[in-house]
Amino acid sequence: MSAPVARASGQVQVEYHAFHLADAGEYTQPPFHPENGLIFSRPGLAVVLAGVNSGPVDVTVEIHRRVVPLPDHAEVWDEVVDHSIESLTVT
């Protein structure tokens, strides 16, 4: 597996069952219809759906230059989706 280019962990606020992962300056939530039930994205923005309606959730994000396999412990989660997101600012 390739080493991540960057990694960050912290709490994000869920509102209306969703939170955003976005490049700087991307703050408008587009209309979306996630085909997989967990995430919708376009270049520079991802909307992640959560099981809770509102409140803080712990999130870890890793940026890789190549596709990486799912982690060995993925089976402990209720749902797992393999989804790549294109960043407009990370090179």
Side-chain angles (χ1 to χ4, degrees), residues 27-71:
Y27 300 108
T28 304
Q29 179 172 305
F32 66 96
H33 304 284
E35 294 177 12
N36 58 39
L38 290 178
I39 189 167
F40 163 82
S41 68
R42 66 175 194 211
L45 172 68
V47 179
V48 181
L49 302 180
V52 298
N53 180 50
S54 61
V57 295
D58 295 325
V59 174
T60 299
V61 175
E62 290 185 351
I63 298 172
H64 293 263
R65 293 199 190 279
R66 295 177 199 72
V67 175
V68 295
L70 289 174

Side-chain angles (χ1 to χ4, degrees), residues 50-90:
V52 298
N53 180 50
S54 61
V57 295
D58 295 325
V59 174
T60 299
V61 175
E62 290 185 351
I63 298 172
H64 293 263
R65 293 199 190 279
R66 295 177 199 72
V67 175
V68 295
L70 289 174
D72 293 335
H73 61 279
E75 70 276 353
V76 301
W77 297 315
D78 293 336
E79 293 183 68
V80 175
V81 172
D82 183 8
H83 186 87
S84 294
I85 302 165
E86 180 184 352
S87 172
L88 299 174
T89 58
V90 176

